[in-house]
Amino acid sequence: MTKRKTLALVGATLLIHGLTACASQRFDGGMRGGGLAFVDIDIDGDGGISLPEFVKKAPSRITDPEGIFKRLDTDGDSFVSEEEFAARRMGGGRPR
């Protein structure tokens, strides 16, 4: 295999790995480490995380899950959508 093909293969592998990691959208409460994926927190599978779902699934080290939920819910509809979840995870969104 040529050097160019090897580099292309490595680049494609890294891209796929990055996209897969983004798709899981893990939440760690602002701390480094494991975290939960959106699908883990959306208990009823309706495509939105409610406050009760978020509180139930929040790691015990999170001292203010309600406050974090309010910051994640940028449109104020009382549900965190996958887009809102991903935006905060990626450093976007607006704090309240």
Side-chain angles (χ1 to χ4, degrees):
M1 184 177 294
T2 68
K3 186 175 183 177
R4 178 175 274 170
K5 286 182 182 179
T6 302
L7 289 175
L9 181 59
V10 168
T13 302
L14 290 173
L15 176 63
I16 290 168
H17 177 65
L19 292 174
T20 302
C22 287
S24 70
Q25 297 306 327
R26 302 189 78 72
F27 175 74
D28 63 6
M31 301 178 183
R32 297 187 187 269
L36 294 169
F38 181 88
V39 296
D40 296 329
I41 304 171
D42 181 19
I43 297 168
D44 61 12
D46 67 354
I49 299 171
S50 66
L51 179 58
E53 288 174 319
F54 188 79
V55 170
K56 183 174 184 172
K57 290 293 193 162
S60 61
R61 67 180 179 259
I62 302 300
T63 58
D64 184 19
E66 292 88 357
I68 293 172
F69 182 86
K70 287 179 183 177
R71 287 192 299 274
L72 290 169
D73 181 22
T74 57
D75 65 6
D77 68 353
S78 299
F79 289 93
V80 175
S81 68
E82 193 163 2
E83 291 78 20
E84 289 169 318
F85 190 81
R88 286 302 286 182
R89 178 67 184 152
M90 302 308 282
R94 61 177 167 75
R96 290 183 180 223

